[in-house]
């Protein structure tokens, strides 16, 4: 039986990608946003300030996927990441939803000398990474034995949804590090991400333990200039500022035990083609 899914935060970059990837999929999805969407019907409310509408939307749902969040702003604005996650958890409790998928970030790790696993020490260097750490801690500290199954996804860079402009952009400046290369990051294409999330939605939970924290990325990691080259961007190196993070890459062995990811998913041209197909 197909699962009914409530997606919170459908108007953001990742939500827009998922709407396009899943447009023709046989999935029962209720899309939430704070404003009307151009391409399909959605329900409009704020999950934090209107918990009754959130609880009503969650009725009869099997899964809540929370994409809603804030990437920049003041400390109070970034705290919304925690408030949104707790709102999703509370609505799942009230409505009897059995699976909640929350989006965290690779930013909780800070930099890395090697691929970091889910048990690595978190060392965020920016306000966004710190806010995601606070979200994770708050959710984990409030969990009860009878709560829904929680997936906490530490998401790597999503091609087309991160800070690197690739499509229809002007001349792009990229930090050049002492080794002569650009930053090395764990990336994933939007179509691959959508398929990973779909597989987690459909995954049999019988032998799994909640909460499950997972790194989400394709492998191997990618130098950012290779994406710019694949996208045929007009770009140039610029001196990296003090404090620039040369490497932030994730070990995805745990994810690969649960889902199938094509071997070429991290190839720059494959990820760029996914973005172009959805743009």
């Amino acid at each position: 039986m197909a699962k009914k899914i409530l997606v919170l935060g459908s108007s953001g970059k990742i939500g827009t990608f998922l709407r396009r990837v899943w447009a023709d999929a046989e999935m029962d999805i209720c899309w939430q946003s704070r404003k009307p969407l151009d391409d399909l019907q959605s329900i409009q409310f704020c999950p934090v300030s209107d918990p009754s509408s959130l609880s009503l939307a969650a009725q009869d749902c099997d899964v809540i996927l929370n994409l809603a969040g804030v990437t920049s702003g003041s400390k109070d604005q970034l705290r919304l990441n925690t408030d949104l996650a707790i709102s999703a958890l509370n609505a799942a409790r009230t409505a009897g939803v059995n699976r909640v998928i929350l989006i965290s970030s690779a930013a909780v790790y800070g930099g890395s000398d090697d691929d970091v696993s889910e048990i690595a020490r978190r060392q965020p260097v920016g306000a966004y990474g710190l806010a995601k750490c606070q979200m994770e801690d708050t959710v984990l500290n409030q969990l009860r034995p009878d709560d829904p199954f929680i997936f906490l996804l530490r998401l790597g860079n999503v091609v087309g949804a991160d800070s690197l402009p690739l499509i229809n952009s002007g001349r792009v400046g990229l930090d050049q590090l002492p080794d002569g290369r650009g930053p090395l990051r764990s990336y994933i294409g939007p179509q691959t991400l959508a398929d990973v999330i779909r597989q987690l939605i459909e995954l049999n939970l019988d032998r799994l333990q909640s909460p499950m924290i997972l790194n989400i990325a394709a492998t191997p990691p990618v130098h950012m200039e290779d994406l710019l080259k694949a996208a045929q961007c007009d770009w140039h190196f610029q001196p990296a500022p003090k404090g620039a993070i040369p490497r932030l890459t994730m070990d995805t062995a745990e994810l690969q035990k649960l889902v199938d990811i094509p071997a070429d998913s991290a190839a720059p041209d494959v990820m760029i083609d996914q973005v172009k197909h959805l743009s």
Side-chain angles (χ1 to χ4, degrees), residues 79 108 227:
R79 179 175 170 74
V108 301
L227 287 170

Side-chain angles (χ1 to χ4, degrees), residues 78-159:
L78 286 167
R79 179 175 170 74
L80 189 60
N81 290 294
T82 297
D83 296 339
L84 286 161
I86 294 301
S87 294
L89 175 58
N90 286 336
R93 289 166 170 165
T94 301
V97 175
N98 61 23
R99 183 174 329 211
V100 177
I101 302 175
L102 303 175
I103 304 298
S104 186
S105 169
V108 301
Y109 294 120
S112 62
D113 294 326
D114 202 349
D115 296 349
V116 290
S117 72
E118 291 86 351
I119 62 173
R121 181 184 178 189
R122 299 174 305 168
Q123 303 181 85
V125 297
Y128 175 65
L130 179 61
K132 284 297 190 180
C133 283
Q134 292 171 338
M135 180 275 286
E136 290 186 4
D137 291 342
T138 302
V139 169
L140 296 176
N141 288 335
Q142 292 192 19
L143 290 181
R144 308 167 185 167
D146 59 345
D147 270 342
F149 194 101
I150 302 295
F151 283 106
L152 196 61
L153 308 186
R154 290 178 177 161
L155 187 58
N157 291 37
V158 180
V159 178

Side-chain angles (χ1 to χ4, degrees), residues 77-257:
Q77 289 171 318
L78 286 167
R79 179 175 170 74
L80 189 60
N81 290 294
T82 297
D83 296 339
L84 286 161
I86 294 301
S87 294
L89 175 58
N90 286 336
R93 289 166 170 165
T94 301
V97 175
N98 61 23
R99 183 174 329 211
V100 177
I101 302 175
L102 303 175
I103 304 298
S104 186
S105 169
V108 301
Y109 294 120
S112 62
D113 294 326
D114 202 349
D115 296 349
V116 290
S117 72
E118 291 86 351
I119 62 173
R121 181 184 178 189
R122 299 174 305 168
Q123 303 181 85
V125 297
Y128 175 65
L130 179 61
K132 284 297 190 180
C133 283
Q134 292 171 338
M135 180 275 286
E136 290 186 4
D137 291 342
T138 302
V139 169
L140 296 176
N141 288 335
Q142 292 192 19
L143 290 181
R144 308 167 185 167
D146 59 345
D147 270 342
F149 194 101
I150 302 295
F151 283 106
L152 196 61
L153 308 186
R154 290 178 177 161
L155 187 58
N157 291 37
V158 180
V159 178
D162 71 335
S163 61
L164 188 65
L166 295 169
I167 308 298
N168 300 324
S169 60
R171 188 161 170 78
V172 178
L174 181 68
D175 292 344
Q176 186 174 34
L177 299 159
D179 65 357
R181 300 296 306 268
L184 182 66
R185 297 289 187 269
S186 288
Y187 267 94
I188 191 168
Q191 289 181 318
T192 306
L193 174 62
D195 192 53
V196 165
I197 293 175
R198 179 191 57 77
Q199 291 183 69
L200 293 177
I201 286 171
E202 297 173 352
L203 196 64
N204 188 323
L205 303 178
D206 288 347
R207 297 185 179 182
L208 302 180
Q209 184 173 354
S210 178
M212 177 165 283
I213 300 173
L214 290 172
N215 290 337
I216 306 295
T219 57
V222 177
H223 285 280
M224 286 185 169
E225 68 266 31
D226 291 338
L227 287 170
L228 292 168
K229 293 173 184 176
Q232 298 183 327
C233 288
D234 181 12
W235 70 279
H236 66 281
F237 274 129
Q238 61 191 18
K242 183 179 180 180
I245 299 175
R247 174 175 182 159
L248 175 49
T249 62
M250 298 189 297
D251 181 330
T252 59
E254 293 303 313
L255 176 67
Q256 293 180 58
K257 294 176 184 177

